Amino acid sequence: MLVVQKYGGTSVADAERIRHVAGRIIRRVRQGDQVVAVVSAMGSATDDLIDLALQVAPDPDPRELDMLLSTGEQVSVALLAMALKSLGQEAVGLTGQQAGIIAQGRHYQGRISRVEADRVRAELAAGRVPVVAGYWGVNEHQEIFTLGRGASDTTAVALAIALGADRCENCKDVEGIYTADPRIVPTARKLRDIAYEEMLELATQGSQVMHNRAVELASVYNVPILVTSSMVEAPGTLIRGEAELEERNRVRGIAHDLDVAKITVRRVPDRPGIAANIFEPLAEAGISVDTIVQNASEANLTDLSFTVSRSDLRRAEQLMPEICARVGAPEWTSNANLGKVSIVGVGIQTAPGYAARMFRALYDAGINIELISTSEIRLTCIIAADRVHDAVRALHAAFELEKADADPA
């Protein structure tokens, strides 16, 4: 079996954990598997590098910031390769460039365009374990592009696709995917499996277990992902094309996100083209907009609200005076003290009662809903940030997820 294993920052946070990871990889090789390891930067190394950059430049140049941040993964790569060799296993450390990760787009938010995996295949054929830097690649001009926080997951899936691997394994400090964050809900249960589309919604709505672009890639190419612990031997959660088909709770999990800010444009003229004139400048600035709500028109004027990440709020606020002038809106407001909570599961939109139960649970907990967003398998409410954890607990209890079709382990 050919397996791509990804190890996150917590799993390689210090020398002891790196040697532990090396031991896990060697056991798999001795069982007859071929293993490619993808690693993140050690512990808080990426945050430390960002802090260092901010000390020398209040607004660091994006190109040089990517150059700096790429070094975090290189440290992990070198140390894990050293650990493997010291334990008798041939290995080779590879940067994103050496592994053939070709990226494009914007600095600090690049995207993988393709993987030229010949070097990785050659190292596997020679009996070596390739240890690859996650999180970054290079473009055609050898410029470094980091792929966004958590995107080592995406590197691992992209490599698995390019190599035709049997499976991608995301080895973390948790034992799998739970019905909610167990740090917030102690009764949360570990799922045996979950469908790609459900996991994609959970990841997009705030779950930190998997990077959303990694799940999207795996879904397109039908690569199963096992989310499992790097610390202990325990059954994980398999992300795949279809979860088990027996009758089960339609709500598979609760996701939450505290990285939410809202902008409201007041008294917008209600005529064709206004929305384009508001959102095109934001898109050109690389600002991603999530929930959009427009109030009913009154006297041909309306209020339009939308959410962005808190990290994008400052840039969005800088654009708003010009946008308002362009569309003829007299004022705008912003609120950075928001979060969102979502219920996710195939079929919740077509089955009666799920929205009502969600809204009742939040009402009973005294939680006000600012905005509502839906998809075919998700219901999301934007609420005050300081009530998000209360909302997660209330919804987990309301949908009885502690009794879900979960792994009893």
Side-chain angles (χ1 to χ4, degrees), residues 78-99:
L79 291 172
L80 181 54
M82 290 176 192
L84 286 163
K85 290 179 181 181
S86 73
L87 295 173
Q89 173 60 52
E90 284 299 309
V92 58
L94 300 173
T95 67
Q97 180 180 10
Q98 291 170 323

Side-chain angles (χ1 to χ4, degrees), residues 1 15 46 58 81 88 99 136 187 195 206 219 251 308 352 369 374 385:
M1 177 184 286
T46 300
W136 65 272
T187 56
S219 172
V251 177
V308 298
I369 300 171
T374 67

Side-chain angles (χ1 to χ4, degrees), residues 68-395:
L68 175 67
L69 296 182
S70 68
T71 65
E73 278 68 26
Q74 292 183 61
V75 172
S76 301
V77 162
L79 291 172
L80 181 54
M82 290 176 192
L84 286 163
K85 290 179 181 181
S86 73
L87 295 173
Q89 173 60 52
E90 284 299 309
V92 58
L94 300 173
T95 67
Q97 180 180 10
Q98 291 170 323
I101 308 298
I102 310 301
Q104 60 185 4
R106 296 173 180 266
H107 286 290
Y108 202 58
Q109 48 186 316
R111 288 179 175 261
I112 296 173
S113 58
R114 68 182 188 277
V115 178
E116 298 175 353
D118 291 348
R119 174 73 183 274
V120 178
R121 291 191 191 94
E123 300 296 351
L124 285 168
R128 289 185 281 268
V129 172
V131 183
V132 178
Y135 180 57
W136 65 272
V138 296
N139 70 1
E140 304 292 349
H141 304 290
Q142 307 305 305
E143 290 290 323
I144 292 173
F145 285 80
T146 61
L147 308 173
R149 299 304 293 269
S152 291
D153 293 357
T154 307
T155 304
V157 171
L159 267 172
I161 293 166
L163 295 168
D166 297 284
R167 188 164 73 186
C168 184
E169 297 179 356
N170 194 345
C171 306
K172 305 178 67 68
D173 57 349
V174 295
E175 294 182 14
I177 297 162
Y178 287 76
T179 50
D181 187 334
R183 295 169 297 183
I184 298 173
V185 185
T187 56
R189 298 291 302 277
K190 184 173 66 179
L191 298 168
R192 288 187 298 267
D193 61 3
I194 188 168
Y196 289 125
E197 56 186 331
E198 292 172 325
M199 189 64 237
L200 180 57
E201 286 283 12
L202 287 172
T204 302
Q205 299 307 316
S207 171
Q208 301 297 308
V209 177
M210 282 291 305
H211 195 261
N212 60 341
R213 295 209 312 269
V215 180
E216 186 176 17
L217 263 181
S219 172
V220 171
Y221 290 92
N222 198 29
V223 176
I225 305 173
L226 179 69
V227 178
T228 188
S229 173
S230 65
M231 310 294 183
V232 298
E233 296 299 327
T237 302
L238 187 65
I239 307 171
R240 60 181 182 177
E242 286 187 354
E244 294 180 358
L245 297 178
E246 74 269 15
E247 185 67 26
R248 58 177 172 83
N249 193 334
R250 289 180 186 267
V251 177
R252 298 283 276 162
I254 311 292
H256 72 281
D257 189 0
L258 293 171
D259 185 21
V260 179
K262 181 181 74 169
I263 292 176
T264 299
V265 186
R266 304 286 188 189
R267 298 177 62 79
V268 180
D270 190 5
R271 62 174 184 264
I274 289 295
N277 286 326
I278 291 175
F279 294 114
E280 282 177 350
L282 297 171
E284 290 168 1
I287 297 170
S288 179
V289 174
D290 186 13
T291 303
I292 302 172
V293 174
Q294 180 173 314
N295 293 341
S297 177
E298 184 175 337
N300 291 322
L301 298 173
T302 185
D303 290 349
L304 190 149
S305 297
F306 59 91
T307 61
V308 298
S309 68
R310 289 185 184 178
S311 59
D312 284 337
L313 179 61
R314 181 182 173 188
R315 287 190 296 144
E317 287 175 331
Q318 292 171 342
L319 294 171
M320 289 314 299
E322 181 180 345
I323 290 173
C324 286
R326 179 185 301 180
V327 301
E331 62 177 329
W332 59 276
T333 61
S334 63
N335 183 352
N337 299 312
L338 296 173
K340 62 183 176 181
V341 62
S342 305
I343 61 171
V344 175
V346 171
I348 62 173
Q349 275 284 67
T350 57
Y354 284 86
R357 196 190 307 184
M358 181 181 193
F359 302 151
R360 170 58 66 179
L362 295 178
Y363 169 77
D364 289 343
I367 298 170
N368 186 52
I369 300 171
E370 298 266 348
L371 299 173
I372 299 169
S373 172
T374 67
S375 77
E376 290 185 358
I377 64 170
R378 169 186 55 81
L379 290 168
T380 297
C381 292
I382 309 297
I383 61 176
D386 61 1
R387 299 305 311 275
V388 166
H389 288 188
D390 294 332
V392 172
R393 286 186 283 266
L395 293 172

